[in-house]
Amino acid sequence: MSDETRTSHGSRAGRRTRRGLAAAAALLLAGLAAAPAAAAGGERTQQTRRGDLVAVTPVADRDAGQVRSFLAGWDVDADGVRYGLRAYRLTYRTVDPHGAPTTATGLLTLPRGGGHRLDLVSDTHGTMVDRDYAPSVSEDFGRVPSYVNAAAGRAVAAPDYLGLGKGPGPHPYMDTASSVTASVDMLRAARTAAERLGRPLTGAVYATGFSQGGQVAMALGRALEEGADRHFRLVALAPVSGPYDLEGQEMPALFDGRVNDTSGVLYIAYWLVAQNRLHPLYKDPSEAFRAPWSSRVEGLLDGSHEQEDVVRGLAPSVKQLLTPAFHERLRHPSGAVLDAMRSADHTCDWKPDVPVRLYAAAGDTDVPLGNTRTCARTLAGQGARVRVVDQGAVDHFGSVLVSAPQVVRFFDGVRR
């Protein structure tokens, strides 16, 4: 589920860059902030609508050589790089998990070259606890899929989700419904921004995503096929290492050794704290977490701490983190705990009418391969044709670094 769970990943953080664009580019984009639009459709507030563009902020301008260097730093195959790119942080209007108006941010990446009208890739990211690590803020691991796809000639919309990046409030971690609304609204904002930047979109959407974002990509694909927005049509679906089956695979793996302790502690703490805002899991943290962690877990997961700090502040294992009673509740879920799990499941319970490829890795000890196998069986049971690509003995992060260029080639081979 994570873009950050390796403790060694902290050394990567020092490579983050926040270079500004040249003054000419900044002037070109001055005035791109969108005025509130008149309400339309079935998703109205008094003056605005979901997906309305609030602001566009340039965050990167890279030539093809710089893109290759960036990818090489992550040991990513850069053979598919054909263009440089320009990237922008979009601020847009959306709704929170309760349907109340809010704003969110995301990264729009456009190729410097290629066709005038662009197909669009939706790239949904994995677990992150630090809001400043989101794709629109940090030029780091989370931008790899955006840069690979944009450098191949497509626009890329990468939502930060709610409560990450520059969006307000806490992140509702693993709340699939709100992740999908934020992702659909990011597509709408990207459509407006791309038009204003002189690179209009065709309406074709290729959906991919990693880890938590792989699960979101599956749900987003379903929403698009069911007509979430008439301007967009799903063309292909290629999620990577998604936790598609919390109840049957991911949660049991936390307790049987298939998920490593460091990742397991982070995931379960984050999931419980976030889901408790949406479901009545506990009244006081001491019901779920042992002391001394019960007094610090919610503060650690407030969006302002880096992943390494969160991990250092928590117990070394899931069994040591949780109270005995709550440990048993998670091993044998029922009631609100089971409801919370199931609210994120069933993203594969439909029949896509587009090519589907699921990428994963047998060596993954964050999101075990069983999640992808379950998804593939479920899709096949609905009559869908799906191929699973097992990347073998690589770890969770390796699965996306190897898969991202393969996803581009898969998209290249799909006829619209």
Side-chain angles (χ1 to χ4, degrees), residues 72-405:
W74 293 101
D75 297 323
V76 174
D77 176 10
D79 287 349
V81 173
R82 296 192 286 274
Y83 310 105
L85 55 84
R86 293 186 178 94
Y88 311 86
R89 181 188 308 120
L90 306 187
T91 303
Y92 62 95
R93 302 192 186 281
T94 186
V95 292
D96 70 13
H98 307 289
T102 188
T103 60
T105 54
L107 184 75
L108 172 65
T109 311
L110 303 175
R112 283 171 42 176
H116 176 62
R117 292 174 59 82
L118 300 170
D119 289 351
L120 181 64
V121 173
S122 172
D123 172 48
T124 42
H125 67 72
T127 302
M128 54 185 60
V129 297
D130 179 0
R131 64 172 56 251
D132 288 336
Y133 194 66
S136 81
V137 179
S138 174
E139 188 173 48
D140 210 302
F141 178 87
R143 288 199 188 174
V144 167
S146 288
Y147 281 15
V148 170
N149 280 281
R154 297 182 182 88
V156 187
D160 293 334
Y161 307 143
L162 298 176
L164 296 173
K166 300 299 183 181
H171 173 50
Y173 179 53
M174 292 298 292
D175 179 50
T176 307
S178 64
S179 294
V180 170
T181 58
S183 298
V184 170
D185 294 343
M186 176 63 188
L187 297 181
R188 293 166 171 156
R191 178 172 176 267
T192 302
E195 181 78 31
R196 295 181 184 184
L197 290 162
R199 305 301 298 276
L201 304 180
T202 65
V205 175
Y206 299 75
T208 187
F210 168 57
S211 196
Q212 175 191 1
Q215 187 244 36
V216 175
M218 286 300 304
L220 174 63
R222 182 174 192 167
L224 292 176
E225 284 220 338
E226 292 178 351
D229 190 295
R230 63 183 178 84
H231 291 103
F232 298 110
R233 61 188 182 281
L234 185 67
V235 174
L237 189 54
V240 182
S241 301
Y244 313 107
D245 186 9
L246 294 188
E247 181 184 356
Q249 291 290 333
E250 189 65 22
M251 286 294 179
L254 291 173
F255 303 102
D256 65 18
R258 284 179 290 155
V259 173
N260 69 81
D261 284 339
T262 300
S263 297
V265 167
L266 178 66
Y267 293 152
I268 199 61
Y270 200 10
W271 186 79
L272 287 172
V273 168
Q275 290 296 312
N276 193 57
R277 301 186 189 105
L278 305 173
H279 304 270
L281 303 184
Y282 59 79
K283 293 182 180 179
D284 186 273
S286 61
E287 296 174 28
F289 305 101
R290 295 177 188 255
W293 304 291
S294 58
S295 64
R296 67 176 71 148
V297 62
E298 293 186 344
L300 285 169
L301 291 164
D302 65 358
S304 67
H305 295 78
E306 293 193 0
Q307 178 267 333
E308 292 81 9
D309 294 331
V310 175
V311 169
R312 281 194 294 266
L314 294 175
S317 71
V318 172
K319 189 170 185 178
Q320 290 171 277
L321 177 71
L322 300 176
T323 63
F326 220 87
H327 188 272
E328 286 304 302
R329 283 187 66 187
L330 290 174
R331 289 189 63 198
H332 307 286
S334 61
V337 170
L338 185 58
D339 290 343
M341 291 181 191
R342 288 179 174 174
S343 70
D345 286 343
H346 307 295
T347 58
C348 301
D349 190 12
W350 60 295
K351 181 185 177 183
D353 291 325
V354 300
V356 180
R357 196 162 291 182
L358 304 179
Y359 297 80
D364 191 338
T365 63
D366 284 55
V367 181
L369 182 62
N371 283 276
T372 296
R373 297 294 186 195
T374 297
C375 182
R377 287 195 301 270
T378 305
L379 290 167
Q382 298 293 318
R385 298 182 62 183
V386 56
R387 176 184 167 190
V388 173
V389 179
D390 180 356
Q391 304 292 13
V394 300
D395 65 10
H396 189 53
F397 303 92
S399 71
V400 71
L401 296 177
V402 173
S403 298

Side-chain angles (χ1 to χ4, degrees), residues 9-17 140:
H9 198 230
S11 62
R12 303 278 197 182
R15 296 166 47 185
R16 298 180 183 176
T17 59
D140 210 302

